[in-house]
Amino acid sequence: MVKNGFSPGRSLLFVSWDGGDFGNVGATEWLEGYLSMLHLKAVAYFSLDQGIMGDDVLSAFSNPLLVDLLDAAIIQVEHPRRAGHTIFSRAEREGGSWRIMKPLYLNSGAYSFSAFAGVPAMELRFTEERAYPFVNTPLDTTSRLQEVLGGRLGVTGRSLGELVGEMVLRLAHDHILPLRIDSYAQAVLQFSAQLNKHSAELQSRGLSPQWVFSARGDYSRAAETLQRAIDNSDLHDPTTARFYNTRIMRVEYYFLSQYVSVVETPFRHVIHGRGDHTLSALAEHLALLTSDPEHFDEKRFRRQLAFFTWTLQGAANALTGDVWSIHNTYTFTH
């Protein structure tokens, strides 16, 4: 493509890490070194660590912001084992393409990029029903992998490369970054439904869920308003495109809690992270009202609820726009 005159609109960085078997040491060290600029520079991260463990089932351990990119890519790429059929058509016959998308997990090479650095990330992997037995052992060689795949290593690698290529090319070429900015509204909506079931009991304890409902509504409206503005703008104008892309790029970063220490709680993301500040921890604590009310800690729950609500409201405010661009409606007379 480059030989034919192609030049990406955004930079592509290819990296290879050491120390993956010891807690993704290489990637994490690099993240720590560039943490302050990543949310300003990095659009997305794709991990191909253990990308080929088979040639049948595709799994995408992914950040929700990348779901539209994946949906578009699997329609375009041929399945490595099913000539003439796309990955999408194969998945649909197996129960639905939604099964491909899975949440990021702690030991994933992509996890730290989202949970620690606030960068949308995805790890792709082809597997099969029988687990690949040699991973992380001295027996994990190209020849053995080729043998397990029945000689289809090259075909599978091509499919994986095309899949990532489709997504990366859109991220590098599209005027507006193709990230689904409203994706987190659904996760908060599901939690809001749980809160609503316990609203009477929470209010009897002096705990009001109303602030969460308000913050969720503000975030949803901010995302919808931004998307409408993008749809109605001249995206070929570089200044306009840059203005919107700057806001889109920071969506993931907004969900890193500013109310916990990065040293004590490195995975600060309120959706994907680990710790008392996360939505999952809040939901587990809320469930105690039904399963074990004696162990429900009102003080702790109030703190959890406040941290999450403040982070969500901050994300909504930031998505709405730059506070310094708000027009002053007051007039002054001398």
Side-chain angles (χ1 to χ4, degrees):
M1 290 176 67
V2 172
K3 289 178 181 177
N4 291 331
F6 171 78
S7 178
R10 302 179 181 95
S11 299
L12 308 179
L13 183 64
F14 294 84
V15 295
S16 181
W17 310 116
D18 276 337
D21 294 343
F22 306 96
N24 299 306
V25 174
T28 304
E29 289 284 342
W30 187 84
L31 283 172
E32 290 173 347
Y34 293 96
L35 190 61
S36 61
M37 71 170 67
L38 275 174
H39 73 282
L40 299 174
K41 297 282 188 180
V43 173
Y45 175 77
F46 294 91
S47 173
L48 301 181
D49 182 32
Q50 301 182 16
I52 301 177
M53 309 286 283
D55 66 348
D56 190 17
V57 179
L58 174 70
S59 295
F61 304 93
S62 181
N63 187 287
L65 268 70
L66 301 172
V67 63
D68 288 346
L69 271 175
L70 182 68
D71 284 345
I74 61 176
I75 294 174
Q76 301 293 325
V77 178
E78 186 174 87
H79 193 283
R81 190 186 278 189
R82 304 287 187 272
H85 297 278
T86 64
I87 295 172
F88 173 81
S89 63
R90 167 69 171 161
E92 286 294 288
R93 284 200 301 275
E94 295 296 319
S97 59
W98 59 271
R99 292 175 180 270
I100 291 174
M101 182 77 80
K102 296 175 176 142
L104 289 165
Y105 60 98
L106 184 61
N107 291 330
S108 165
Y111 178 80
S112 293
F113 280 81
S114 279
F116 179 63
V119 177
M122 178 187 295
E123 178 171 307
L124 292 157
R125 182 178 303 162
F126 273 111
T127 57
E128 53 189 73
E129 188 174 337
R130 183 171 68 95
Y132 179 66
F134 305 117
V135 66
N136 293 333
T137 75
L139 300 177
D140 185 16
T141 63
T142 304
S143 59
R144 280 197 174 85
L145 182 58
Q146 184 74 275
E147 182 182 345
V148 168
L149 295 178
R152 292 187 297 273
L153 179 57
V155 175
T156 309
R158 181 184 178 90
S159 292
L160 190 65
E162 288 178 353
L163 191 62
V164 177
E166 288 281 347
M167 293 187 282
V168 167
L169 284 174
R170 282 199 60 195
L171 287 169
H173 179 72
D174 287 8
H175 291 292
I176 293 296
L177 294 169
L179 303 180
R180 186 186 286 185
I181 57 178
D182 64 347
S183 60
Y184 286 122
Q186 186 60 35
V188 182
L189 180 61
Q190 292 171 356
F191 175 68
S192 297
Q194 296 177 48
L195 275 176
N196 209 29
K197 291 178 183 177
H198 298 284
S199 60
E201 187 169 359
L202 287 171
Q203 288 177 3
S204 71
R205 294 169 178 260
L207 298 164
S208 173
Q210 187 56 45
W211 293 111
V212 176
F213 300 157
S214 176
R216 185 200 66 79
D218 286 349
Y219 182 81
S220 295
R221 284 187 293 273
E224 290 169 5
T225 301
L226 178 56
Q227 190 60 59
R228 256 196 320 271
I230 291 171
D231 294 341
N232 296 322
S233 298
D234 176 13
L235 303 182
H236 292 281
D237 175 49
T239 303
T240 301
R242 191 178 303 111
F243 171 74
Y244 288 128
N245 283 331
T246 298
R247 288 164 70 181
I248 291 170
M249 281 178 64
R250 291 177 180 170
V251 168
E252 198 70 64
Y253 181 77
Y254 298 153
F255 283 90
L256 298 182
S257 176
Q258 304 300 308
Y259 307 103
V260 294
S261 165
V262 69
V263 175
E264 297 175 1
T265 311
F267 300 129
R268 294 181 295 143
H269 202 292
V270 294
I271 306 294
H272 307 302
R274 294 290 187 277
D276 223 31
H277 64 290
T278 61
L279 184 60
S280 59
L282 191 54
E284 287 174 10
H285 197 171
L286 179 65
L288 291 178
L289 281 175
T290 303
S291 63
D292 193 2
E294 289 186 2
H295 284 88
F296 182 82
D297 186 333
E298 291 182 16
K299 183 177 180 181
R300 177 190 166 207
F301 187 80
R302 183 176 284 108
R303 180 185 175 90
Q304 287 178 297
L305 198 63
F307 281 6
F308 178 76
T309 304
W310 293 340
T311 302
L312 182 60
Q313 187 64 58
N317 295 345
L319 202 59
T320 299
D322 184 356
V323 66
W324 302 113
S325 67
I326 296 174
H327 296 296
N328 191 342
T329 57
Y330 296 98
T331 57
F332 297 90
T333 57
H334 295 282

